[in-house]
Amino acid sequence: MRRPLTRFGVIVAIGALAGGVTAAPATLAAGTNQTYLIVYQAKAVPSDAAKRISAAGGTLVASYGAIGVAIARSSSDAFKANVKADSRVAAAAATAGSAVQLNDDQQASDSTAAPDVPATDSDNLSGLQWDMVQIHTPEAHAITGGNSGVLVGDIDTGLDYTHPDLAANVDFANSVGCVSGVPDNSPSAWFDDNGHGTHTAGTIAAASNQIGIVGVAPKVRIAGIKAGNAAGFFFPEAVICAFMWAGDHHVKVTNNSYFADPWLFNCKNDAEQRAIFSAEQRAIKYAQSKGVVVVAAEGNQADDLAHPTQDATSPDDTTPVLRDITNACAVVPVEVPGVIGVTADGNRSIKSFYSSYGMGSVQVIAPGGDSILQVTAAAPNGRVLSTWPASLLNVTCLPARRVVDPSGATYCYQQGTSMASPHAAGVAALIASQHPNWSTGAITAKLTGTADPMACPDTAQYAFFPALDNGAPQVCTGGTGYNSFNGHGQVNALSAVH
């Protein structure tokens, strides 16, 4: 998706918030206000942070004490320098322009339900789900469709909780809007106003209910964690809020079909970028420490993340600036240690023409669609079908990609690593359903260890699809057991639960 960024507005929640997050009422000065991340040396926010931030010319918006990160707003050009005068502050960074827009094809309490609840794949549109056949979810569902004791957090643009194929599995108590950087649990705050989040949520957990499609894990609960705004941008304060919420609300798996940084590649030798990377990494590590399995899309730049040389994309909410980069630059969340990176393939089971890749950053590959190299009889447009908000069907889904179920439920075909990542997240949720006490490492090992190994393909077919940012040819390195295109192989739901 490539659309101009709309004005970024911050909505401030007032009062005590769950999970140790505190928010303060905002009384901001007139003028253009900017959001700032303040990263403290210690993994704690000082008790006088609000006072010191006020003295520096700003207002405390949210305080994440468990990771030592505060979010503030200020209209003062001197605010960052003033707040950094506090010796306890490790770094501070403005987050204006701190986002990478989605660039896909389109522009409660815990249950004690028993595991291994079978599901069927005979919904009205199941015959269009080549992606599920490819990773053997119908056979896996004969064993388990997951169970409602497992909560998957879809960190995305929210979800349409009224969609007939999602409504039964939506966890209202653990869904949240995080666009402002402060969690807001009201349903209006996490309703999908883009479409992307509803699509990824359907791939993970569309119900087996004779309506539309069936997700990878149709018996699990899903929480919409809205970190992306209507234009598809993910600002750092929203990403931090999302991971902190996931860590504090018993989320077992998160899907992350986006990038979040001031630049697509976040370079640690730059003070501003290092501050934002550090804050986001702390939030992700916090979630992982709470037992959250983090699954993330590799990206759609056709770039080798292990050997980046140029960034021509960022900042994409203004005018991109071409710059040389190195391995000192990283992408969040996919290149944070412990995150399961997912590349995309199509119905010919080769890496999709657009999918980024890289030794070390990719762990598995999953269906994301390919409308150029992998159009087949089973996948006549190459793309992946999933749920879409009815209110947006005629707005953000092209006419040729719209599908309406006989029940009236609405769906859209899309392609991107955004579509691949939720397939892997769904398989992780099935594993967690069978092994509720397993650690994140054990679930990751099962996911990668049961993937179907895939050898490097003939890369001549990618000659017309060089990396978008540096024009480099796509090169696959490694062997059948592990390589830069496919990681350990294509996820296999049946093998994962057998």
Side-chain angles (χ1 to χ4, degrees):
M1 178 173 67
R2 290 285 175 195
R3 293 204 303 266
L5 174 63
T6 57
R7 177 181 285 274
F8 175 50
V10 173
I11 303 170
V12 180
I14 300 175
L17 299 162
V21 182
T22 57
T27 54
L28 301 172
T32 302
N33 287 298
Q34 174 62 278
T35 302
Y36 292 85
L37 297 182
I38 302 167
V39 183
Y40 290 91
Q41 301 280 3
K43 296 290 181 69
V45 175
S47 60
D48 64 344
K51 180 179 179 180
R52 295 296 291 263
I53 288 169
S54 178
T59 301
L60 177 66
V61 174
S63 174
Y64 292 96
I67 60 171
V69 173
I71 297 171
R73 292 278 284 170
S74 176
S75 59
S76 170
D77 292 339
F79 174 74
K80 186 170 72 170
N82 290 342
V83 81
K84 287 176 68 177
D86 184 343
S87 62
R88 298 168 299 180
V89 173
T95 68
S98 301
V100 178
Q101 191 181 27
L102 292 166
N103 64 344
D104 293 319
D105 190 67
Q106 60 96 17
Q107 292 281 11
S109 58
D110 291 343
S111 168
T112 56
D116 296 339
V117 180
T120 60
D121 288 72
S122 57
D123 285 8
N124 291 331
L125 303 178
S126 291
L128 303 178
Q129 293 186 274
W130 61 267
D131 51 315
M132 299 299 177
V133 172
Q134 189 160 301
I135 64 170
H136 304 285
T137 60
E139 300 99 310
H141 290 165
I143 299 171
T144 180
N147 79 79
S148 58
V150 171
L151 176 61
V152 178
D154 194 23
I155 302 178
D156 212 299
T157 61
L159 60 80
D160 179 358
Y161 47 78
T162 70
H163 196 288
D165 226 356
L166 292 173
N169 290 338
V170 175
D171 186 323
F172 280 74
N174 290 305
S175 294
V176 69
C178 270
V179 171
S180 71
V182 180
D184 183 348
N185 181 238
S186 60
S188 61
W190 50 273
F191 190 83
D192 188 6
D193 51 8
N194 176 280
H196 189 273
T198 299
H199 197 280
T200 55
T203 296
I204 297 166
S208 175
N209 57 1
Q210 301 305 305
I211 296 173
I213 65 168
V214 180
V216 177
K219 300 289 187 179
V220 303
R221 290 176 297 137
I222 189 158
I225 302 178
K226 183 177 173 64
N229 63 20
F233 287 89
F234 291 73
F235 288 84
E237 60 268 30
V239 174
I240 291 165
C241 169
F243 279 105
M244 296 302 291
W245 179 272
D248 287 335
H249 287 79
H250 309 291
V251 172
K252 191 62 180 177
V253 180
T254 62
N255 179 66
N256 301 269
S257 292
Y258 61 89
F259 292 126
D261 274 330
W263 304 86
L264 175 58
F265 290 93
N266 188 86
C267 298
K268 301 168 191 175
N269 58 357
D270 177 274
E272 189 94 356
Q273 296 167 43
R274 184 172 63 250
I276 293 175
F277 178 86
S278 175
E280 291 174 334
Q281 184 180 48
R282 285 188 186 187
I284 292 169
K285 285 185 174 181
Y286 177 80
Q288 291 170 329
S289 75
K290 296 290 187 175
V292 180
V293 177
V294 181
V295 182
E298 196 80 1
N300 303 331
Q301 305 293 108
D303 203 355
D304 183 352
L305 299 189
H307 301 92
T309 61
Q310 285 187 328
D311 179 3
T313 298
S314 313
D316 75 347
D317 63 334
T318 54
T319 302
V321 177
L322 177 65
R323 61 178 182 149
D324 293 334
I325 57 175
T326 68
N327 273 333
C329 306
V331 178
V332 176
V334 72
E335 291 194 284
V336 171
V339 172
I340 300 170
V342 187
T343 52
D345 64 8
N347 195 222
R348 289 177 53 215
S349 293
I350 59 171
K351 190 188 76 67
S352 302
F353 71 91
Y354 55 78
S355 180
S356 292
Y357 56 96
M359 294 291 283
S361 67
V362 57
Q363 299 302 313
V364 291
I365 192 167
D370 186 332
S371 61
I372 297 179
L373 297 179
Q374 301 183 69
V375 173
T376 66
N381 67 19
R383 298 176 172 88
V384 174
L385 184 68
S386 191
T387 45
W388 202 260
S391 61
L392 296 175
L393 189 66
N394 297 322
V395 179
T396 55
C397 181
L398 296 177
R401 300 175 196 162
R402 302 170 189 162
V403 178
V404 179
D405 181 77
S407 68
T410 51
Y411 302 81
C412 189
Y413 279 105
Q414 299 291 299
Q415 69 178 358
T417 55
S418 285
M419 286 65 246
S421 182
H423 286 85
V427 176
L430 292 180
I431 296 169
S433 294
Q434 287 194 315
H435 306 283
N437 297 319
W438 275 17
S439 66
T440 58
I443 292 172
T444 300
K446 183 73 169 179
L447 179 71
T448 58
T450 56
D452 294 325
M454 292 169 55
C456 285
D458 177 5
T459 53
Q461 60 197 313
Y462 300 97
F464 293 102
F465 311 104
L468 295 183
D469 285 41
N470 61 14
Q474 298 196 48
V475 178
C476 183
T477 56
T480 301
Y482 180 88
N483 57 64
S484 62
F485 272 23
N486 310 304
H488 296 279
Q490 183 173 253
V491 295
N492 186 319
L494 177 60
S495 296
V497 302
H498 198 272

